[in-house]
Structures are given as structure tokens and as C-alpha cells.
């Protein structure tokens, strides 16, 4: 349908199947496929394409739930709209699919898009300031075994109380001054067994009320002196476990103005003179446990209270560097560590 919506499953359109089909819309602001009020529909091996609107739109009307899209391609070329958009819709599944928008957000889950799953899929954008995958007020969703990329922009971002989401077994890459993985004002999210990379900016950024994040068996890489492999700012009770965090050009990991953030059983490395592998700044009860830290200064603690560093190896690589540096702190406890100077 060149001037409007190509295919529309509305209120009461349940248990339908679309297979091996092409749905195309060229009209600005319209959808190639809209599911709004229909449930338990299956779309498989299809092309869903919009030149200047949404590719696949699920939601708005009540009952837009339990739909499945598999082995399909969703595309848009809109700066303002997305190839996949889910709004006020729950328990939908996109699997083994391609989601692409070179000009804007590839996938956007917004406002009540809860309990949905994206798996085994490629999610890509190529637009500065836009997102490969954006969650806003969307909770309890699962992203697993996906490739998520937006070289000049953001990778995956959780904002505005997008809580209890799970991302696992995925690769998230950008090459920009933005963050590959970000959580802002969104709590209790989990990132597992994933690779997060950004040579030009933040690998990961967790901030401003993004409390209770759990990161397990995940790699964060940055290559920029002014940025971090992983930065936690104004967020508390976050845990990094069995991870690898690296920034050969600057600080690898920092916790700033937060409380009770923990790094354990992890490797954190920096190779640049004048930068530490770990920088704990103006934080309360931060902890490093059973980990390996290597940098010009291995660990630098400043203006913090109740910092605990235990059972770790702290190795300074710069001839003038120190294994553990503490400035203007209250109650730094270091026990059971191996500390070596440069």
C-alpha cells in the first residue's frame, strides 16, 4: 500500500498467519504492518518495509499481545520512526529476524511494552544520536543472542523506569562518543554473557538512579582517554561479577557518587600513563573483591567512605605508578591483596 498502511490486524484479529509475504509502505508516518488489538498472530519469513514510517508496529489498542514474528526482515529509513515499534503491548516475540533503520532507531519499546522477547536477531542503525535498541518505560523484556550495532550513535539504552529487563548472550557495538550499553533511571536490569564495545566512547554507562543492575560474565571495552570501559555515576547497589573491563587509552572502570557498587572476580585493565584501571570517586561503601587490576595506577580511591578492597591483585604498570592510591578518604580497608608498584 504505497499511500498508507500495507497490512493491518486490528481489534479482534486473533490467531492469523502471514507467511512468505512482502508488506511495503512508502507513506510518511504509516506502517508496513500494524498489529493493534490483535493477538496470537504469527508472521514468518516475510519482508516488512517502510520508506518513511514504521516497519512493524505492535500496540496502542488493548490486546496487542502474544504475537510472534520469526525469520522476517523489518526495515525503515525514517529519522523519527523505527523499524520495530512496540507500545502498550506485552508478551510479543521477535526471533531469528533482521531489524534495521540506517536513519533512526532500529527498535523502540515504549511505555508499557512489557514482557516482550527479541532473540537471535540483528538490530542495527547507522545514525548519530539514535539508538539501535531503545527501551523507555518498558520493563521485564528479554533480549538474547542478538547483534546490536549503531556505529555513529547509541547501542542499547534503558531509560525512564525501564526496569527488570534481561540482556544476555549478545554483542553490542558502537564507535561514537555515546554509550554502547546504557541504563539511566532504570533499576534492577541484568546483563549477562555479552560483549560491549565502543572504541570512541563509553563501553557501558549506568547512571542517575539506575540502581540494582547486575552484570555477569560480560566484556566492556573502550579505547578513548576521555571515556570509560564502564562508568557508574549517581547509582547504587550495582554488581559486576566475572567480567572483563578494558580501556587501553584511559580509565577502565569508575564509580562516582554512588553507594555499595561492587566489582568481584573480574579483570580490569588500563594501559595509559596517568590513568588508573579503577577510579572510585566520592562514593560510599564501594567494594572490589577477588579481582585483578592493572593500570598506570591500579586503583585510585578519592573522597570516598567505607571503600573495601580485598583478595585482589593490584599491579601498576607505569614506572611512577602505584598499586593502590587513596586521597582524602574515610575508612579505606584493604585486606588480603597483592599490591605491586610500577
Amino acid at each position: 500500500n504505497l499511500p498508507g498502511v500495507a497490512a493491518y490486524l486490528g481489534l479482534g484479529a486473533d490467531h492469523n498467519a502471514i507467511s512468505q509475504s512482502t508488506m511495503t509502505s512508502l507513506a510518511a508516518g504509516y506502517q508496513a504492518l500494524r498489529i493493534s488489538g490483535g493477538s496470537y498472530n504469527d508472521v514468518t519469513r516475510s519482508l516488512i518495509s517502510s520508506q518513511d514510517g514504521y516497519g512493524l508496529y505492535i500496540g496502542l489498542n488493548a490486546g496487542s499481545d502474544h504475537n510472534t514474528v520469526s525469520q522476517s526482515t523489518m526495515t525503515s529509513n525514517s529519522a523519527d520512526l523505527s523499524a520495530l515499534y512496540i507500545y502498550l503491548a506485552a508478551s510479543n516475540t521477535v526471533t531469528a529476524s533482521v531489524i534495521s533503520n540506517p536513519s533512526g532507531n532500529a527498535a523502540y519499546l515504549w511505555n508499557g511494552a512489557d514482557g516482550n522477547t527479541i532473540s537471535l536477531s540483528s538490530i542495527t542503525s547507522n545514525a548519530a544520536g539514535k539508538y539501535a535498541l531503545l527501551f523507555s518505560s518498558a520493563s521485564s523484556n528479554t533480549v538474547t543472542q542478538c547483534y546490536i550495532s549503531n556505529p555513529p550513535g547509541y547501542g542499547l539504552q534503558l531509560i525512564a523506569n525501564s526496569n527488570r529487563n534481561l540482556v544476555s548472550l549478545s554483542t553490542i557495538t558502537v564507535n561514537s562518543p555515546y554509550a554502547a550499553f546504557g541504563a539511566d533511571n532504570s533499576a534492577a536490569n541484568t546483563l549477562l554473557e555479552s560483549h560491549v564495545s565502543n572504541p570512541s566512547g563509553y563501553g557501558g554507562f549506568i547512571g542517575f538512579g539506575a540502581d540494582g543492575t547486575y552484570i555477569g560474565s560480560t566484556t566492556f571495552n573502550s579505547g578513548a582517554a576521555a571515556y570509560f570501559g564502564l562508568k557508574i555515576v549517581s547509582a547504587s547497589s550495582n554488581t559486576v561479577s566475572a567480567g572483563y573491563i578494558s580501556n587501553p587509552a584511559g580509565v577502565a572502570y569508575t564509580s562516582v557518587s554512588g553507594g555499595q557498587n561492587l566489582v568481584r572476580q573480574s579483570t580490569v585493565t588500563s594501559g595509559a600513563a596517568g590513568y588508573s584501571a579503577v577510579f572510585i570517586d566520592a562514593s560510599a561503601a564501594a567494594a572490589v573483591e577477588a579481582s585483578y587490576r592493572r593500570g598506570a595506577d591500579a586503583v585510585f580511591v578519592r573522597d570516598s567512605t567505607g571503600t573495601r578492597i580485598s583478595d585482589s591483585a593490584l599491579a601498576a604498570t607505569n614506572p611512577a605508578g602505584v598499586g593502590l592510591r587513596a586521597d582524602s578518604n574515610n575508612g579505606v580497608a584493604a585486606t588480603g591483596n597483592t599490591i605491586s608498584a610500577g
Side-chain angles (χ1 to χ4, degrees):
N1 183 0
L2 302 185
V5 178
Y8 182 27
L9 299 174
L11 290 167
D14 304 330
H15 299 283
N16 298 287
I18 300 173
S19 179
Q20 301 183 65
S21 299
T22 297
M23 292 156 275
T24 303
S25 175
L26 299 182
Y30 286 90
Q31 306 88 29
L33 171 59
R34 177 168 178 165
I35 302 175
S36 188
S39 63
Y40 295 98
N41 297 290
D42 289 315
V43 180
T44 186
R45 290 180 290 173
S46 294
L47 173 63
I48 307 164
S49 178
S50 174
Q51 182 62 32
D52 196 21
Y54 299 99
L56 171 61
Y57 181 117
I58 302 176
L60 184 60
N61 289 330
S64 307
D65 309 322
H66 300 286
N67 299 287
T68 299
V69 179
S70 63
Q71 301 178 56
S72 296
T73 297
M74 289 143 272
T75 68
S76 174
N77 198 29
S78 170
D80 299 318
L81 306 177
S82 55
L84 171 64
Y85 180 73
I86 303 178
Y87 167 55
L88 288 175
S91 303
N92 297 286
T93 298
V94 176
T95 187
S97 295
V98 173
I99 305 164
S100 176
N101 182 2
S103 300
N105 300 330
Y108 184 12
L109 280 68
W110 181 53
N111 191 17
D114 301 331
N116 301 286
T117 298
I118 304 174
S119 65
L120 297 164
S121 296
S122 170
I123 308 167
T124 61
S125 174
N126 195 32
K130 300 296 185 177
Y131 304 85
L133 176 54
L134 176 62
F135 296 84
S136 179
S137 302
S139 297
S140 302
N141 298 287
T142 297
V143 177
T144 186
Q145 300 182 73
C146 289
Y147 175 76
I148 301 163
S149 177
N150 182 11
Y154 295 92
L156 187 155
Q157 187 82 7
L158 301 149
I159 63 173
N161 292 307
S162 293
N163 306 320
R164 300 177 304 281
N165 297 285
L166 169 64
V167 180
S168 68
L169 298 165
S170 296
T171 296
I172 308 169
T173 67
V174 306
N175 191 6
S176 74
Y178 305 105
F181 174 86
D184 185 349
N185 193 32
S186 297
N189 294 291
T190 300
L191 176 63
L192 297 176
E193 298 182 78
S194 295
H195 176 71
V196 182
S197 178
N198 183 2
S200 300
Y202 296 106
F205 185 98
I206 297 170
F208 311 108
D211 302 329
T213 305
Y214 180 83
I215 299 169
S217 302
T218 292
T219 298
F220 288 93
N221 293 323
S222 174
Y227 296 90
F228 305 86
L230 174 60
K231 182 174 184 177
I232 301 175
V233 57
S234 300
S236 298
S237 302
N238 299 287
T239 298
V240 179
S241 181
Y244 180 87
I245 307 170
S246 174
N247 183 2
V251 175
Y253 168 83
T254 188
S255 174
V256 182
S257 301
Q260 298 180 314
N261 294 308
L262 167 65
V263 178
R264 68 186 180 200
Q265 298 178 332
S266 297
T267 297
V268 185
T269 67
S270 171
Y275 295 94
S276 57
V278 172
F279 180 33
I280 297 171
D281 189 23
S283 295
V288 175
E289 298 177 353
S291 296
Y292 175 68
R293 304 289 184 270
R294 186 188 72 217
D297 293 330
V299 175
F300 180 19
V301 184
R302 183 178 69 183
D303 298 331
S304 297
T305 60
T307 305
R308 187 167 43 85
I309 302 168
S310 62
D311 303 313
S312 296
L314 315 179
T317 56
N318 188 279
V322 296
L324 174 59
R325 175 182 171 185
D327 292 354
S328 302
N329 296 284
N330 183 3
V332 175
T335 59
N337 302 293
T338 300
I339 305 174
S340 59

